[in-house]
Amino acid sequence: MLTIGCHLSSAKGYAAMAKEAEKINANTFQFFTRNPRGGKAKAIDLKDVEKFHSEADRLGIQKILAHAPYTLNACSPDEKVREFAYNTMADDLRRMEYTPGNCYNFHPGSHVKQGAEKGIELIAELLNQILKPEQSTTVLLETMAGKGSEIGRNFQELREILDRVELQDKMGVCLDTCHIYDGGYDIVNDLDGVLKEFDQVIGLSRLKAVHLNDSMYGLNSHKDRHAKIGEGKIGKEAMIRIVNHPALKDLPFYLETPNDLEGYGAEIAFLRSVRQES
Ligand code: FE
Ligand code: FE
Ligand code: ZN
């Protein structure tokens, strides 16, 4: 069965997100751990977490994905900004143990004129400080569109971060279809070739999640502007191939398309309808 959901607001807590997922026939979801621009997270409400777990059991919700604030920059040249990234990620990972065994996705960061190599070093250094052998959460590096000085603009850069991390089994990758298309990987005409390259450079065993988004701009545009499924340059046919591809079909898919809840529901219904179950 297709594991699919969308990005939901975490403002009302975990149980409320499970209820919203139910409304749109989603069996997973993504959420921000706190205000996407950073700031303090709400205290964990144990009653809410308990209610979430029973709702998740009832609805078959699995593999929820937490997303770090997108303003966080683990490889900033400014030590204070890196310290904020450290504090936020460490706190997020502590909080995630209330919903154990899930994934935590973050944007690797922007090197801001320090060069990619220095950026990669700083990101790995931070991960080596944060990851703990006892944690149950897998931390995911997101593939990026390569806007500005973003690290993760290609598979090689992610591989170089992963190579420097000591606790390898705590790490994985989240593939964003809009981002990699913007980054120059032609998933429209050569999905097999792109996934083969992913396998050779990073390894498909490290791929833990897919952000399923169409792209407003074309191949190699480095713009990072998401479009609704089938309404962008990637298009419906490629999306159908993606959710059915043997290397991807068992992964959880998360929509980050410009939609309200109803629009997400329609996309989920469409993607379920084109899924070929064997
Ligand atoms: Fe993201
Ligand atoms: Fe994404
Ligand atoms: Zn994006």
Side-chain angles (χ1 to χ4, degrees):
M1 193 172 62
L2 184 59
T3 303
I4 189 163
C6 64
H7 188 91
L8 294 175
S9 164
S10 54
K12 290 183 185 142
Y14 289 97
M17 290 191 279
K19 286 266 185 237
E20 286 204 318
E22 181 181 20
K23 277 188 202 151
I24 55 173
N25 199 16
N27 50 352
T28 190
F29 57 85
Q30 175 179 262
F31 62 101
F32 282 125
T33 51
R34 60 190 72 219
N35 185 310
R37 300 196 172 278
K40 248 186 103 170
K42 275 202 310 197
I44 293 272
D45 174 352
L46 289 176
K47 279 226 171 74
D48 176 45
V49 169
E50 210 175 293
K51 197 167 162 215
F52 166 73
H53 284 301
S54 72
E55 286 292 274
D57 283 349
R58 180 174 72 83
L59 300 166
I61 288 175
Q62 49 174 332
K63 299 178 182 172
I64 59 170
L65 178 60
H67 195 306
Y70 51 69
T71 48
L72 178 155
N73 188 0
C75 62
S76 168
D78 182 341
E79 205 189 317
K80 284 235 164 61
V81 176
R82 293 204 303 275
E83 203 180 292
F84 172 77
Y86 171 85
N87 289 330
T88 302
M89 290 175 77
D91 185 44
D92 281 349
L93 288 177
R94 273 193 298 273
R95 297 161 59 85
M96 290 220 30
E97 290 302 317
Y98 290 93
T99 51
N102 289 304
C103 291
Y104 176 71
N105 174 65
F106 79 108
H107 297 177
S110 294
H111 65 71
V112 207
K113 292 182 186 151
Q114 300 172 100
E117 202 172 318
K118 180 70 185 172
I120 286 163
E121 243 171 64
L122 288 170
I123 295 160
E125 202 177 289
L126 184 118
L127 285 166
N128 282 330
Q129 287 166 353
I130 277 177
L131 298 175
K132 299 277 178 283
E134 64 273 18
Q135 75 183 55
S136 72
T137 303
T138 304
V139 175
L140 309 185
L141 299 165
E142 181 167 353
T143 59
M144 300 308 291
K147 218 169 59 176
S149 65
E150 270 174 358
I151 303 281
R153 59 195 295 120
N154 56 46
F155 300 157
Q156 192 58 43
E157 288 189 353
L158 295 185
R159 165 68 191 262
E160 284 173 30
I161 297 169
L162 292 169
D163 278 347
R164 289 171 168 78
V165 175
E166 285 148 25
L167 296 174
Q168 292 279 323
D169 63 322
K170 304 298 177 192
M171 292 298 302
V173 170
C174 173
L175 185 144
D176 186 309
T177 55
C178 167
H179 295 176
I180 64 168
Y181 192 62
D182 279 18
Y185 292 98
D186 192 355
I187 52 176
V188 176
N189 297 302
D190 189 19
L191 180 60
D192 279 337
V194 171
L195 292 172
K196 197 172 163 203
E197 187 173 344
F198 186 100
D199 195 30
Q200 282 163 350
V201 177
I202 297 176
L204 279 168
S205 66
R206 287 191 143 141
L207 183 54
K208 305 294 182 193
V210 178
H211 281 168
L212 194 64
N213 303 307
D214 213 322
S215 176
M216 272 174 63
Y217 292 90
L219 186 69
N220 244 315
S221 61
H222 304 292
K223 292 271 201 202
D224 192 4
R225 293 288 300 279
H226 301 189
K228 293 182 185 180
I229 301 301
E231 295 185 15
K233 301 287 185 200
I234 297 174
K236 225 169 220 181
E237 294 310 311
M239 287 295 168
I240 295 172
R241 286 193 290 273
I242 289 166
V243 295
N244 286 300
H245 195 284
L248 305 176
K249 69 183 204 2
D250 294 324
L251 293 169
F253 293 90
Y254 306 89
L255 299 161
E256 301 174 307
T257 47
N259 272 307
D260 54 15
L261 198 61
E262 201 186 329
Y264 278 132
E267 288 187 344
I268 289 169
F270 167 71
L271 291 160
R272 289 201 187 285
S273 77
V274 296
R275 167 76 166 216
Q276 294 137 20
E277 302 292 351
S278 45

